[in-house]
Amino acid sequence: MHYKLLNAQRKIYLTEAPGTLGGYRPNRIYGRLDCPSALRHLASGQYAKHRVFFADEATAIAAGFRPCGVCMKARHELWTADPGAWLAAVLSDHRA
Ligand SMILES: [Zn+2]
């Protein structure tokens, strides 16, 4: 089984490990795999072809995606208020 993930250059690549985050390509939003908003859109049938996956959050950010306002509310609020502070917060999480 191979999984299609998106890399930092927004190119699809195949890997044997599933992604940890989902994304919606047209709006460049990333979020949890079980995001209620994403699942609702998937159920409507219009979302699946635009769905992408990331190995981790750092890759999603490097690819230019921003956090989902539904499943990553705290991140989204930080991002809305101050994108620079948001980036610093995410990067310090990854160092921890
Ligand atoms: Zn979400």
Side-chain angles (χ1 to χ4, degrees):
M1 180 71 192
H2 284 84
Y3 298 89
K4 284 184 187 174
L5 302 187
L6 210 64
N7 69 15
Q9 286 74 43
R10 292 191 293 279
K11 297 271 189 290
I12 300 275
Y13 68 101
L14 290 172
T15 171
E16 290 183 11
T20 63
L21 290 168
Y24 184 61
R25 205 165 191 174
N27 292 350
R28 291 195 190 170
I29 291 170
Y30 72 86
R32 287 171 16 198
L33 296 176
D34 62 350
C35 170
S37 174
L39 293 179
R40 214 165 37 239
H41 284 95
L42 280 169
S44 79
Q46 297 301 308
Y47 189 97
K49 64 173 184 268
H50 298 300
R51 183 106 157 119
V52 294
F53 298 96
F54 295 103
D56 53 40
E57 192 171 22
T59 307
I61 290 162
F65 281 59
R66 60 188 175 83
C68 171
V70 176
C71 62
M72 306 191 91
K73 208 164 187 306
R75 282 262 201 278
H76 180 79
E77 279 167 11
L78 272 174
W79 174 82
T80 308
D82 185 344
W86 165 73
L87 201 57
V90 174
L91 293 177
S92 76
D93 275 11
H94 280 278
R95 273 195 295 270

